[in-house]
Amino acid sequence: MVTLKKVLLSLAPLAASVTAQSSQNCDTGAGGTGICFQTYYDTLYGAWYSWVFPAAGDTTYTNEFIGQMTVPVAAKWGGVTLGSGMNSNLLITAWPWNGAIVKSARQAYNYVQPTQYVGPTITTLATTINSTHWKWTYRCQNCTSWYINGATGGVDPSTYSVFGWAYSTTAVDTPSDPFSDMIQHDDARLFGFDAPSSRSSSYSSYLNTGKTSTTSGSTTKTSSVSTTKTSSTTTTTSAIVTVSPTPYDYVVVGAGNCGLVVADRLTEAGKNVLLIERGGPSTWNTGGREVPPWLTGKQFTRFDVPGLFEAMFSSANPYWWCNDISVFAGCLIGGGAAINGALYWYPPDADFATDNGWPSGWQTPNDAYAKLKARLPSTQTPSPDGKLYLTQVYDVVSKMLSARNFQSTVINDNPNAKNYVYGHPAFDFVGGTRTGPMATYFQTAKARSNLHFWQYTYVTGLVRTNGTITGVRTNYTAYGGNGIVPLTTKGRVVLSAGAFGTARILYQSGIGPSDMIALVAGNSQYSANLPPSSAYINLPVGNNVSDNPSINLVFTHPSVDSYDNWAPIWSSPRAADAAQYAASQTGIFAGTSPRLNYWEALGGSDGKTRYLQGTARPGAASVDTVYPYNASQIFTITVYLSHGITSRGRIGIDSTLYGKVITNPWFQDPVDKAVLITGINNLLSTMSSVSGLTMITPDNTTTITDYVNNYTPANMNSNHWTGSTKIGTSSSSSVVDANTKVWGTTNLFIVDAGIVPGQPMSNPHGMLMAVAEVAVPKILALAGGA
């Protein structure tokens, strides 16, 4: 595998490799300031990035810090981000010019040129420039909180943080201008920053460091302390160093659940493939290095440890979420497979049936099922010792279901049996760690020399002549001078960027409804990249969207251990459980939080059958009751409506190209709601058969009908988005044909959740990989391709 090391810091929040942690370092010796910092040392380039904050409780020096950058002279500019990536975080850039440091505070609204950020005051305290490095010490006031891209952000010195650095060997366009344009950096990484250890009672004395010094050989020059406040910027243009572009047989956009399967199977077929991922590493074997504090010295990141799933939603620096769409989505290697609950169900035949919207040729894909099972076998005992842990919720809920004559079964032993059955959750974990396509398909693909992989690279559209795609436009602007990746003569593009990401790429390429393309045409940054309006392709991109409506029911039972509602699992888990996992990868942390799943088929007043899935787990996301309750005994049953639902919504973008939901997909058809209410009442009908069981959300002051009617739509989101680029047999009602080729194009394909025309019967993790296994042979068999 060939890996591109040109990465964009702007993409780091989406999926970064936190390479290491900071440590204490005092700047002493010749030319030293005497300041003791918390410092991150980058061994790759030999650079130091340091900070010191005022002591806890200090009321004099609020909203500020002292920073220092020590960077090799080979770097023409360097920068830091005070958060887990560039977008929506304060950026500080600096470079040497005429014996001094030119510095600026910047912001980024998207994966674009960072611009001036008004507010901070940056004061140079000391500068040293010699034959090997330039060192800049500065005070940054009004720098620990900000408002960027419509959102507030900041640094909390009392908590562990993730910061980042950027390094470039290409000078900015106008070195004398603090806000000069610059091309993207050579490299960028995130690192763990121990902010609490950076606080110092000596902060006020550090501010008296004094003069700026510039050292050249044995001669030292001094000048007065300089202060830069934000001011107007001047833009000029200069030559940019470029990388010669290479054409590829296939460009696959998105290294998620489907994209990794696609890249593996295409390279297996001998094709020259470029795989582009907008984020970065996740699990250890993908290059991730953010290890939980209680696993220091072990090769398990937060994404490797299944039991840390619930911590994905409580981190102060959730860089793994896509930050430019309105719903949760994973922007990192593995996509949703790296951050989901990992429930892994072999698809029933009904998932690919014609009555679920699939065209002929997709039914009963046994070859795909066999390939998937061979790569990722299922287990309901994720702990390698073969034991089940934290089983109290299973014991309680199984009594409720058994009282209704539900049958206990190993769910994946008979995927087609999805009515009146329950069982333990199934996973595709191996050795007590998250596997998924990251540990299987990605590993075999990258072992081949014909896979080329770019991470931290954002695709902004497709270059096309009418219906033929000739290149993929990226933000790696040094590539060919314009960021465009060319295709070979018979080359093809496969979009696997997810229901929201793929839709946006199509809009930015002049493919989709006229109102969405008009928003791109009105965007000053991207409008020039659109093809002529005569070449627009009108397809229902973003329409026909489906997602499971889900309702949480919260209970208490005296036998249940809520597991502290999963709150301390990242920083201070239960000691015995942490030690067990660290020693043998067994125990509670070898699985995610679900403890039982069940299914029921329900008829609707319209004569259609809809399937209900329930997932039970210890703890609760929220509790709403007027009564006191024992928080240590709470558990949740989430009830989803899945296969057979008829409600559809719409997704799209706004004028900034931010992905959003335009029309909610839940309960547009009132029959869906009525069926779900029936399913909930069925579940609760046997509550009295379980002694000590109490439902607290909703409590007895609310009926189930009122509870569902008043349920906040945003909380109904299951993040199982499908249908935005629906497969079908007509361009009037679908986006891709039976071979996953986009209507009106000759060489553009889509393989991700967006093409799925109807909700699968269960969590879609396994089903989506099966979609990719079916799709690739169809693409390869289609005449005209490389």
Side-chain angles (χ1 to χ4, degrees), residues 409-772:
T409 184
V410 177
I411 302 299
N412 276 344
D413 281 357
N414 187 358
N416 288 324
K418 287 294 193 303
N419 188 24
Y420 268 66
V421 297
Y422 71 89
H424 294 285
F427 304 99
D428 56 5
F429 302 153
V430 175
T433 63
R434 185 186 292 266
T435 51
M438 303 84 70
T440 51
Y441 292 97
F442 185 48
Q443 300 306 312
T444 50
K446 72 179 185 178
R448 302 184 184 109
S449 61
N450 55 327
L451 178 76
H452 307 261
F453 177 53
W454 295 1
Q455 57 187 340
Y456 300 123
T457 304
Y458 189 71
V459 171
T460 59
L462 306 172
V463 182
R464 62 186 179 89
T465 301
N466 296 319
T468 299
I469 311 303
T470 59
V472 176
R473 192 183 302 275
T474 74
N475 64 350
Y476 176 31
T477 54
Y479 195 74
N482 53 17
I484 296 174
V485 180
L487 302 176
T488 57
T489 303
K490 295 183 178 181
R492 290 168 165 174
V493 175
V494 181
L495 299 180
S496 298
F500 284 81
T502 290
R504 178 166 45 203
I505 291 170
L506 293 176
Y507 301 147
Q508 292 178 256
S509 308
I511 302 173
S514 58
D515 59 344
M516 294 294 103
I517 298 176
L519 289 171
V520 179
N523 184 287
S524 60
Q525 180 186 349
Y526 292 107
S527 59
N529 296 335
L530 285 169
S533 59
S534 60
Y536 291 171
I537 302 174
N538 183 15
L539 293 174
V541 178
N543 298 345
N544 306 302
V545 168
S546 174
D547 178 48
N548 305 110
S550 60
I551 302 292
N552 286 328
L553 309 171
V554 184
F555 304 81
T556 63
H557 190 272
S559 70
V560 166
D561 177 0
S562 69
Y563 208 66
D564 310 311
N565 207 19
W566 306 94
I569 53 176
W570 172 256
S571 57
S572 54
R574 295 182 184 180
D577 295 335
Q580 180 180 358
Y581 188 85
S584 60
Q585 292 75 67
T586 60
I588 289 175
F589 281 97
T592 56
S593 53
R595 288 300 183 269
L596 178 144
N597 289 94
Y598 76 93
W599 286 262
E600 180 178 3
L602 298 164
S605 61
D606 55 3
K608 298 177 180 178
T609 299
R610 294 163 173 82
Y611 283 80
L612 180 148
Q613 176 188 342
T615 300
R617 64 178 181 85
S622 63
V623 175
D624 183 10
T625 180
V626 299
Y627 300 113
Y629 64 93
N630 188 335
S632 68
Q633 299 175 353
I634 59 175
F635 71 94
T636 299
I637 302 177
T638 302
V639 182
Y640 311 81
L641 210 58
S642 60
H643 182 90
I645 59 175
T646 52
S647 297
R648 295 295 185 269
R650 186 187 183 198
I651 66 169
I653 55 175
D654 63 17
S655 60
T656 68
L657 309 192
Y658 184 82
K660 66 177 186 176
V661 180
I662 297 175
T663 303
N664 286 332
W666 315 290
F667 297 156
Q668 295 297 327
D669 183 345
V671 181
D672 284 346
K673 179 187 288 187
V675 169
L676 184 56
I677 289 173
T678 296
I680 294 173
N681 284 323
N682 288 350
L683 171 69
L684 301 179
S685 65
T686 55
M687 268 189 62
S688 60
S689 66
V690 183
S691 177
L693 180 62
T694 302
M695 185 167 66
I696 61 174
T697 302
D699 57 29
N700 62 12
T701 65
T702 306
T703 67
I704 292 299
T705 298
D706 286 345
Y707 181 62
V708 174
N709 283 337
N710 296 318
Y711 209 81
T712 303
N715 294 338
M716 208 174 295
N717 175 9
S718 299
N719 280 302
H720 297 159
W721 298 89
T722 64
S724 59
T725 52
K726 176 185 171 185
I727 197 170
T729 57
S730 169
S731 61
S732 63
S733 58
S734 61
V735 177
V736 301
D737 65 16
N739 293 309
T740 73
K741 183 164 66 71
V742 174
W743 294 106
T745 71
T746 62
N747 59 342
L748 176 60
F749 300 81
I750 300 174
V751 183
D752 61 26
I755 73 170
V756 177
Q759 275 293 323
M761 204 168 286
S762 313
N763 305 73
H765 173 49
M767 186 265 190
L768 292 178
M769 287 186 284
V771 167

Side-chain angles (χ1 to χ4, degrees), residues 30-253:
T33 61
I35 300 175
C36 289
F37 292 99
Q38 189 71 12
T39 297
Y40 170 74
Y41 175 59
D42 163 41
T43 57
L44 186 61
Y45 296 103
W48 291 261
Y49 304 94
S50 307
W51 288 265
V52 60
F53 286 82
D58 185 287
T59 57
T60 303
Y61 303 102
T62 58
N63 207 17
E64 68 170 80
F65 59 82
I66 297 172
Q68 185 180 85
M69 296 168 56
T70 305
V71 183
V73 293
K76 304 306 180 185
W77 66 266
V80 293
T81 173
L82 300 175
S84 55
M86 180 177 181
N87 284 357
S88 302
N89 287 311
L90 179 63
L91 314 173
I92 296 172
T93 58
W95 55 86
W97 179 247
N98 286 343
I101 297 296
V102 179
K103 67 273 190 184
S104 61
R106 299 189 181 218
Q107 61 188 339
Y109 293 95
N110 208 317
Y111 308 105
V112 297
Q113 183 80 227
T115 59
Q116 166 189 353
Y117 179 64
V118 176
T121 298
I122 302 176
T123 303
T124 294
L125 299 180
T127 301
T128 300
I129 303 173
N130 60 30
S131 60
T132 62
H133 287 76
W134 52 271
K135 180 171 70 175
W136 173 52
T137 308
Y138 61 96
R139 179 186 186 184
C140 198
Q141 296 169 276
N142 197 26
C143 290
T144 61
S145 61
W146 50 81
Y147 184 81
I148 297 172
N149 201 17
T152 57
V155 177
D156 181 358
S158 67
T159 63
Y160 186 91
S161 299
V162 175
F163 288 177
W165 56 260
Y167 182 100
S168 177
T169 56
T170 302
V172 301
D173 291 356
T174 310
S176 60
D177 178 7
F179 302 104
S180 170
D181 281 355
M182 57 182 65
I183 71 164
Q184 65 202 68
H185 39 68
D186 295 30
D187 208 345
R189 305 290 170 92
L190 298 183
F191 55 89
F193 183 71
D194 185 0
S197 296
S198 72
R199 298 180 127 179
S200 174
S201 59
S202 302
Y203 187 85
S204 61
S205 65
Y206 291 158
L207 295 175
N208 298 319
T209 296
K211 304 295 183 179
T212 298
S213 65
T214 303
T215 303
S216 177
S218 60
T219 304
T220 299
K221 298 184 294 181
T222 61
S223 60
S224 59
V225 174
S226 63
T227 300
T228 296
K229 292 190 177 183
T230 52
S231 59
S232 61
T233 181
T234 301
T235 302
T236 61
T237 304
S238 63
I240 295 176
V241 177
T242 61
V243 177
S244 297
T246 298
Y248 294 93
D249 295 335
Y250 283 84
V251 177
V252 180
V253 180

